[in-house]
Amino acid sequence: MEEDDVYTNDGTVNIRGKPAVRSETGNWKACRFILGNECCERLAYYGMGTNLVNYLQDRLNQGTVTASNNVTNWSGTCYVTPLIGAFLADAYLGRYWTIAGFVIIYIFGMTLLTISASAPGLKPLCHNNSCHPTTTQTAVFFVALYLIALGTGGIKPCVSSFGADQFDESNEAEKKKKSSFFNWFYFSINIGALVASSVLVWVQMNVGWGWGFGIPTVAMAIAVVFFFGGSKLYRLQKPGGSPFTRIFQVIVASFRKMNVQVPADKSALYETADEESHIAGSRKLEHTNKLRFFDKAAVESQNDTVKGSPDPWRLCTVTQVEELKAVIRLLPVWASGIVFATVYSQMTTMFVLQGNTMDQHMGPHFEIPSASLSLFDTLSVIFWAPVYDIIIVPYARKITGNERGFTQLQRMGIGLVISIFSMVTAGVLEVIRLDYVRTHNLYDAKTIPMSIFWQVPQYFLIGCAEVFTFIGQLEFFYEQAPDAMRSLCSALSLTTVALGNYLSTLLVTIVAKVTSGHGKVGWIPDNLNRGHLDYFYWLLAILSLLNFLVYLWIAKWYTYKKTTGRPH
């Protein structure tokens, strides 16, 4: 057999650092362990986060706005810390060892969270449905919560990219499987979320928070077993050194040569003569005509060498310049995901608080916790992910002629449109709910006789939007990122969720402040029956529509990257 048939061509190595043998590593046989790990880890994360707003209200005695903002602030932090893990993975440790290290912090945080909700002295004392937490008890709880946020920072940006690394892009058969991997990766996330939003939320509300947090901790331990169980089968990408250093080198070199003319013949720009890029684990990138100012960094001049070698702060390769261009091109697409993430964050805040005011009975003896309705978002994803992969893609392929059915940008755009309808649906329901309150004078009723299952459509629509936008985003940022910056760009895509949560916090705070005071109740009071939560949903729907219109222009402007050669 030829060497290319025996070994992978993407520069991956096995756990012992030897070139990865195609038949012995990677593919779906390795991904089984990665998908199992992700399913259990997400079960742990959502099992703890889905119902968090109710814990903050019931056990830590926080009001509607404070509890909602604390959830979105924490959730936002969980999507900012991936920048730390991604940098370490791309620059120094590689994805495998980054995940291995951060799971220790994650499990420690989960264990402390369980202790804070169950151990005497750390558990808030409650009497007659009223809890009085001490400052120490609250502090321990939040320390545990933010340890989890730090732990997840090394896992979130690496797991999806690590799974995609198991498929060699230079091999056509494996390249097709990689596209399906992202669908099944997101599918496995939502299997974990399904158990979390149904079984675990019920346990928390009916058995106790100690058990409710303890079970996710055990799930996280199982996730670790899954991950390390597949070690011998994994393909590992080599870390390529600090991506920030390479980016700043291009910027500095470009400004140093601000007055230099870029030659019309692009072949005159500096690039290594070898087929391989000088960046570990990265293929060469072809020159693109946009953002031409940075091409100045690749123009050779007399002052570029130091002791016979090119000074990297004065002369950069075309590939290095194109790395920076690729990241800059990603930024507008990245920004367009922030409003979508704001809509998505309502599932763990306003949707739950809206559901708390409605009849939660399923039959005469069973009540479904309002946070459990997020299982319909999960069921929607579980339904649409395989439907998209098995039915929609082959059908769309015939119409568009695109191998994927839709381009990644088209896929994300469809999700943005669906998210608008989810907010409209939530707003219409709140209008009907408030009309019922007014008609029957139920302003001070804890719940009204209106079934919580009227919320199902808004959850289902968000789930459908996720399959298009979030999965498309995962695949888009992985494929359009430079080879040696994939973890970092995956983390960048995750920060849209962080900023979406922070934007939600900002909007809720501004809306609460502007619409209340001087005798006014405001849109989002503690008693939602006297507020106008529907106005908040209309605000999000309008922002989503404006965001989509801007996204259409961004998608039209975007240029996909082109690679050449093979990795170093």
Side-chain angles (χ1 to χ4, degrees):
M1 295 178 66
E2 294 183 9
E3 186 175 327
D4 283 358
D5 294 327
V6 176
Y7 298 104
T8 57
N9 293 322
D10 57 2
T12 51
V13 296
N14 61 24
I15 192 68
R16 296 183 298 277
K18 303 287 180 63
V21 177
R22 191 182 299 281
S23 61
E24 296 176 1
T25 60
N27 269 289
W28 289 112
K29 59 178 175 287
C31 288
R32 294 177 304 188
F33 295 93
I34 296 170
L35 295 178
N37 161 267
E38 185 64 9
C39 181
C40 291
E41 188 273 326
R42 291 290 86 186
L43 188 154
Y45 177 82
Y46 288 118
M48 178 263 308
T50 300
N51 205 25
L52 188 58
V53 69
N54 279 328
Y55 185 89
L56 295 176
Q57 280 196 316
D58 297 344
R59 292 294 186 268
L60 297 188
N61 204 24
Q62 296 184 350
T64 300
V65 171
T66 303
S68 172
N69 285 349
N70 273 329
V71 171
T72 49
N73 285 339
W74 171 77
S75 184
T77 304
C78 287
Y79 287 90
V80 166
T81 53
L83 289 172
I84 300 171
F87 173 75
L88 291 174
D90 280 344
Y92 305 112
L93 300 178
R95 288 184 261 279
Y96 176 86
W97 294 109
T98 301
I99 296 169
F102 276 78
V103 292
I104 297 171
I105 301 172
Y106 200 128
I107 285 193
F108 184 75
M110 291 293 297
T111 303
L112 184 59
L113 187 78
T114 303
I115 293 171
S116 74
S118 56
L122 290 177
K123 181 175 71 171
L125 293 174
C126 300
H127 183 68
N128 293 331
N129 294 323
S130 178
C131 297
H132 305 282
T134 64
T135 303
T136 301
Q137 290 168 343
T138 303
V140 170
F141 178 83
F142 277 99
V143 166
L145 213 56
Y146 280 88
L147 276 174
I148 293 167
L150 178 59
T152 196
I155 299 173
K156 279 182 186 293
C158 296
V159 173
S160 62
S161 296
F162 186 59
D165 288 344
Q166 307 311 309
F167 302 96
D168 184 355
E169 278 190 355
S170 65
N171 181 281
E172 282 302 316
E174 291 193 20
K175 187 176 180 180
K176 290 179 181 178
K177 293 175 185 175
K178 180 179 286 190
S179 184
S180 290
F181 166 78
F182 287 102
N183 286 316
W184 292 107
F185 177 80
Y186 211 76
F187 180 85
S188 68
I189 287 175
N190 282 274
I191 291 293
L194 177 64
V195 178
S197 59
S198 54
V199 177
L200 289 181
V201 170
W202 185 88
V203 169
Q204 288 163 355
M205 301 301 287
N206 294 276
V207 179
W209 289 97
W211 280 99
F213 290 146
I215 295 172
T217 304
V218 173
M220 189 61 212
I222 295 171
V224 174
V225 173
F226 263 113
F227 178 73
F228 287 109
S231 296
K232 290 183 179 180
L233 299 173
Y234 295 148
R235 296 175 183 174
L236 281 59
Q237 284 281 3
K238 301 173 189 174
S242 172
F244 292 121
T245 301
R246 296 197 300 275
I247 285 173
F248 286 126
Q249 284 172 342
V250 174
I251 294 171
V252 170
S254 298
F255 278 96
R256 278 180 166 176
K257 296 179 178 179
M258 189 179 295
N259 297 321
V260 171
Q261 187 72 28
V262 178
D265 181 10
K266 300 304 179 289
S267 63
L269 296 174
Y270 175 66
E271 182 58 276
T272 55
D274 300 332
E275 183 186 359
E276 299 174 346
S277 165
H278 75 287
I279 303 166
S282 178
R283 292 166 294 178
K284 287 184 177 180
L285 294 172
E286 292 184 9
H287 178 267
T288 57
N289 288 320
K290 289 182 178 176
L291 303 168
R292 295 185 63 187
F293 171 80
F294 296 108
D295 289 342
K296 295 176 184 290
V299 177
E300 297 185 67
S301 64
Q302 293 180 342
N303 300 322
D304 289 341
T305 57
V306 177
K307 296 181 181 179
S309 299
D311 181 353
W313 294 93
R314 290 183 177 274
L315 182 63
C316 305
T317 64
V318 169
T319 294
Q320 197 173 335
V321 171
E322 290 301 323
E323 272 193 333
L324 174 59
K325 288 185 182 181
V327 173
I328 294 173
R329 286 198 302 269
L330 286 173
L331 291 178
V333 180
W334 164 82
S336 68
I338 295 172
V339 173
F340 177 81
T342 302
V343 169
Y344 179 75
S345 72
Q346 303 313 307
M347 281 200 306
T348 53
T349 53
M350 294 308 165
F351 283 14
V352 175
L353 298 175
Q354 182 186 38
N356 285 344
T357 68
M358 304 175 76
D359 182 11
Q360 299 168 23
H361 283 89
M362 289 179 64
H365 305 297
F366 183 79
E367 290 187 28
I368 180 170
S370 57
S372 283
L373 251 71
S374 63
L375 70 89
F376 287 100
D377 161 77
T378 305
L379 288 171
S380 178
V381 172
I382 291 171
F383 172 76
W384 284 109
V387 165
Y388 180 86
D389 201 41
I390 297 168
I391 299 174
I392 295 178
V393 168
Y395 183 74
R397 193 179 290 146
K398 295 176 183 177
I399 299 174
T400 64
N402 187 290
E403 182 63 30
R404 288 189 174 91
F406 299 108
T407 67
Q408 295 146 348
L409 289 170
Q410 288 171 339
R411 180 175 184 173
M412 288 187 281
I414 293 169
L416 294 181
V417 172
I418 297 171
S419 71
I420 298 171
F421 288 104
S422 71
M423 283 297 96
V424 170
T425 304
V428 169
L429 175 62
E430 186 63 9
V431 168
I432 295 170
R433 195 189 70 80
L434 289 175
D435 184 61
Y436 191 96
V437 168
R438 284 191 295 270
T439 303
H440 297 85
N441 194 27
L442 297 173
Y443 290 102
D444 295 315
K446 185 177 180 181
T447 60
I448 64 171
M450 184 174 175
S451 175
I452 194 174
F453 290 101
W454 285 108
Q455 283 191 308
V456 169
Q458 65 205 53
Y459 280 100
F460 195 81
L461 283 170
I462 284 189
C464 183
E466 276 184 75
V467 169
F468 284 90
T469 298
F470 276 157
I471 300 178
Q473 195 177 62
L474 271 175
E475 187 177 356
F476 178 77
F477 276 80
Y478 178 86
E479 290 205 357
Q480 294 306 306
D483 292 343
M485 297 174 66
R486 279 176 163 164
S487 295
L488 191 65
C489 289
S490 291
L492 185 66
S493 74
L494 291 171
T495 58
T496 61
V497 180
L499 293 175
N501 277 278
Y502 293 146
L503 178 58
S504 178
T505 298
L506 181 65
L507 288 173
V508 169
T509 302
I510 292 173
V511 164
K513 189 170 184 178
V514 170
T515 62
S516 61
H518 305 293
K520 295 186 293 183
V521 176
W523 290 4
I524 315 174
D526 287 344
N527 181 355
L528 292 180
N529 292 338
R530 296 185 177 275
H532 263 295
L533 184 58
D534 53 326
Y535 291 175
F536 184 67
Y537 289 144
W538 301 138
L539 174 63
L540 289 177
I542 292 168
L543 287 175
S544 297
L545 176 60
L546 294 174
N547 181 63
F548 173 69
L549 295 176
V550 173
Y551 176 82
L552 290 177
W553 177 81
I554 292 169
K556 187 176 180 180
W557 170 84
Y558 189 82
T559 303
Y560 285 89
K561 77 167 189 181
K562 293 181 181 179
T563 59
T564 183
R566 55 191 295 170
H568 170 63

